[in-house]
Amino acid sequence: MVPAFQTQKAAFATVIKVFDPSATSEAPQQPKRKDRSTPGRRVTDLLRGDVRRGVLELLRDAEKPILAGDLSKQFAEREGFGAEIDEISPNLAGRFSGLLERMEQTGLVRSSGTSDGRRRLWEIAR
C-alpha cells in the first residue's frame, strides 16, 4: 500500500511543477527499474551462442522424439532459467520451432507428425 501512495504523491508533485515551475517538492525521485528485460529479451539472450550444438545434444540424449516446446524447456533448464521458464516458454518454443525447421532443411534433424496433426516431434536425422 505504501508504494502506491508514494507513486501518487510523485504524480501530484509532477502536476504541480507543470502548473508552477517554481514549486518545490519533497517527493523523492522514483528510481528506475534496473531490470527492464522482457521475456522476449531473455529468450534472445538465452539463444546467443552455439544453440544448435545444445539442441543436438538434447536430441541425442532424448530416448524418443520430442516436441519443440519440451526441448526448449529442457534447454532453458540446462542454461539455468529454471525459475523463469513459465514466463519465457511461449517465446522460446516458437524460436525453437523455427530453429528446428532450419536444421531440418540442412539435414541435421527430422520431424514426424503427432496424432493431433498440429505439432511435430523432433529427433536427430541418423
Side-chain angles (χ1 to χ4, degrees):
M1 182 76 76
V2 174
F5 173 73
Q6 292 296 335
T7 304
Q8 290 174 351
K9 187 176 176 183
F12 279 117
T14 302
V15 171
I16 290 170
K17 279 190 172 188
V18 167
F19 289 103
D20 185 6
S22 64
T24 58
S25 149
E26 295 177 17
Q29 292 286 339
Q30 291 288 333
K32 292 185 178 181
R33 278 184 53 194
K34 292 180 182 178
D35 181 22
R36 292 181 175 234
S37 62
T38 62
R41 288 183 183 159
R42 287 193 292 273
V43 167
T44 300
D45 291 342
L46 177 63
L47 294 179
R48 288 189 178 146
D50 192 8
V51 178
R52 287 181 179 216
R53 175 178 287 153
V55 168
L56 290 173
E57 287 173 2
L58 288 171
L59 287 173
R60 183 185 59 228
D61 294 342
E63 296 177 8
K64 57 185 178 180
I66 187 171
L67 294 169
D70 295 336
L71 182 67
S72 66
K73 284 182 183 179
Q74 287 180 9
F75 185 84
E77 286 173 357
R78 192 182 75 177
E79 295 296 317
F81 281 78
E84 298 178 302
I85 286 180
D86 290 336
E87 272 185 61
I88 66 173
S89 183
N91 291 333
L92 193 58
R95 293 277 201 66
F96 264 69
S97 291
L99 174 66
L100 288 164
E101 287 173 4
R102 289 189 300 278
M103 291 173 70
E104 184 177 37
Q105 291 172 354
T106 60
L108 293 172
V109 298
R110 66 178 171 217
S111 67
S112 60
T114 59
S115 59
D116 67 7
R118 295 183 343 203
R119 300 182 294 177
R120 295 171 19 183
L121 296 168
W122 296 93
E123 64 183 347
I124 291 181
R126 298 173 198 207

